[in-house]
Amino acid sequence: MTGRERFLAAARSQSVDRPPVWYMRQAGRALPEYRALRERHSFLDVAHTPDLCVEATLMPVNRLGVDGAVVFADIMLPLEGMGIEFQIDPGVGPVIASPVRSLQDIDAIRVIDAHEATPYLFTAIDHLARDLGDRAAVIGFAAAPFTLACYLVQGRGSREFPLAKAMMIGQPALWHALMATLTEVTARYLEAQIQAGADVVQLFDSWLGLVGVEQYRSHVLPYTREVFSRLSAKAPLIHFSTGTAHLLPDIATSGCDLVSVDWRTPIEDAFTIVGDRIGVQGNLDPAVLLTNPATVREAGIDLLRRAGHRDGYIFNLGHGLQPDTPVESLHVLTETVQTFSR
Ligand code: 1CP
């Protein structure tokens, strides 16, 4: 099978020769060629320039032969179309110039056509899809409304996002207005990525572990469902979160085709919880890649032994690569998956 065929078959829970493999944050600082590119261009320059975006996206495909190519972008890019100013500070991450705190702030958010908001991204996806052909699937992505709201309200990364959660709990009308707006922007943004050539899309709800089951059902899940219902039948849909073992049964009802789980949940438990009709992605601890080649190989073999025979399984980490991951670990792990046969 080609990488793209393998990825799409697994994403549809059909049979494959071996599990497809890709890594979250695979186009990043772990690769020397990426570090060289970033010496010449800022993060946003790379994301904004289709040729550079394609170059960065292809790096892990060319080096490792992974089956999925995740578009080099960031979850903050749609903010540009919404009229919200931000920057990406090295070592910090996204910083919002004026955080969203009032109904006035929410009313000021522009909901415009995705092509008008981030035209460079769709050009890059179009070039990428042509360049890759069947070598690897093009993976588009966006933040889920909850995770985007966390950054917009808090103004920057945080361990607990207390201001965002306080709005959710104490100002439900504001919260629902914000979530409805972000849902519309996110659905349009992902629809346009699929139209441009993304084969699958992943919704990153990175901070979802901060909410309880009841909060999830009343304040978050309806919006996730709305995004997925707008996209279903257009492309396979992956739901990503971490620290959400308590939410997995509900996440499985969100309308996604696959659930990405982290290392806290044994992979067999994830299979049982989500059921046969939903695929599973994950769930190696990224810290494994900071050890040594023998340990990396052993951990890869163990996960393949437990999950590699299931239709509807995509090999990945439970969260993004650590920036200081030795590139040798990536070679060892990828080869371990590529030489596994069912
Ligand atoms: O290779 C890839 O995976 C594609 C690139 C990618 C993705 C999927 C980047 C590039 N960002 C993202 C998604 C993203 N961005 C998420 C969801 C995934 C996750 O949970 O890790 C989140 C939460 C962000 C926000 C963000 N952007 C952070 C985290 C800040 C925090 O709150 O802890 C950071 C550091 C960024 C900047 C960024 N985005 C991407 C890269 C390579 C970088 C670092 C910039 C650099 O290289 O200097």
Side-chain angles (χ1 to χ4, degrees):
M1 297 180 100
T2 65
R4 181 166 175 270
E5 283 168 355
R6 182 180 296 117
F7 202 107
L8 286 172
R12 296 185 181 118
S13 290
Q14 296 161 356
S15 88
V16 285
D17 52 351
R18 60 157 174 88
V21 55
W22 71 287
Y23 308 111
M24 288 176 271
R25 294 283 173 98
Q26 66 188 13
R29 282 199 39 219
L31 305 184
E33 54 273 34
Y34 175 80
R35 294 197 298 271
L37 180 71
R38 283 297 315 284
E39 271 171 29
R40 290 177 278 123
H41 307 278
S42 73
F43 173 82
L44 285 176
D45 282 346
V46 179
H48 286 156
T49 313
D51 284 350
L52 297 179
C53 172
V54 170
E55 186 182 339
T57 304
L58 290 176
M59 284 173 178
V61 181
N62 292 337
R63 175 185 273 273
L64 302 165
V66 286
D67 301 296
V70 58
V71 179
F72 190 84
D74 190 74
I75 58 170
M76 299 297 145
L77 295 185
L79 303 192
E80 297 181 339
M82 293 159 66
I84 296 175
E85 265 179 62
F86 70 98
Q87 54 191 49
I88 297 203
D89 288 357
V92 178
V95 179
I96 314 292
S98 310
V100 174
R101 304 271 166 82
S102 67
L103 190 57
Q104 223 180 350
D105 296 338
I106 296 168
D107 285 342
I109 295 175
R110 289 193 318 226
V111 181
I112 59 170
D113 182 64
H115 291 98
E116 208 178 302
T118 50
Y120 52 85
L121 181 73
F122 308 111
T123 305
I125 291 176
D126 176 66
H127 292 183
L128 192 60
R130 290 167 202 269
D131 201 311
L132 278 170
D134 246 13
R135 273 200 296 158
V138 177
I139 305 166
F141 70 90
F146 173 76
T147 285
L148 203 50
C150 281
Y151 284 102
L152 285 187
V153 177
Q154 197 73 32
R156 56 169 65 218
S158 159
R159 229 165 68 87
E160 308 270 359
F161 290 92
L163 295 174
K165 287 191 70 187
M167 181 191 283
M168 179 178 84
I169 296 163
Q171 296 175 287
L174 272 193
W175 177 260
H176 287 293
L178 177 59
M179 290 292 278
T181 301
L182 298 180
T183 295
E184 184 60 35
V185 172
T186 305
R188 291 185 187 193
Y189 182 65
L190 287 174
E191 270 167 5
Q193 290 186 42
I194 296 167
Q195 208 182 19
D199 292 304
V200 299
V201 294
Q202 177 158 315
L203 196 65
F204 279 99
D205 218 346
S206 303
W207 300 109
L208 192 54
L210 296 175
V211 303
V213 172
E214 285 162 357
Q215 291 171 331
Y216 183 55
R217 289 180 187 158
S218 52
H219 290 77
V220 180
L221 180 58
Y223 301 99
T224 307
R225 280 200 178 126
E226 171 71 17
V227 173
F228 283 145
S229 78
R230 294 260 297 260
L231 305 169
S232 69
K234 295 192 170 133
L237 309 168
I238 308 174
H239 182 285
F240 168 85
S241 62
T242 69
T244 49
H246 61 301
L247 303 177
L248 284 182
D250 286 294
I251 289 171
T253 71
S254 65
C256 61
D257 299 291
L258 300 112
V259 176
S260 193
V261 294
D262 74 17
W263 57 92
R264 294 173 182 89
T265 302
I267 197 92
E268 300 83 354
D269 292 5
F271 293 149
T272 307
I273 293 167
V274 306
D276 289 341
R277 304 232 305 272
I278 293 188
V280 170
Q281 170 176 277
N283 69 344
L284 203 72
D285 189 332
V288 167
L289 297 176
L290 303 177
T291 62
N292 58 72
T295 304
V296 170
R297 189 174 297 112
E298 219 172 286
I301 289 171
D302 178 58
L303 182 52
L304 287 163
R305 186 179 55 72
R306 295 162 61 178
H309 294 278
R310 186 190 193 264
D311 289 337
Y313 170 66
I314 296 177
F315 193 102
N316 205 323
L317 309 174
H319 200 169
L321 281 178
Q322 298 286 338
D324 49 352
T325 297
V327 72
E328 190 191 358
S329 291
L330 290 173
H331 282 282
V332 169
L333 185 61
T334 311
E335 247 175 65
T336 303
V337 184
Q338 287 164 343
T339 53
F340 173 81
S341 61
R342 305 208 334 166

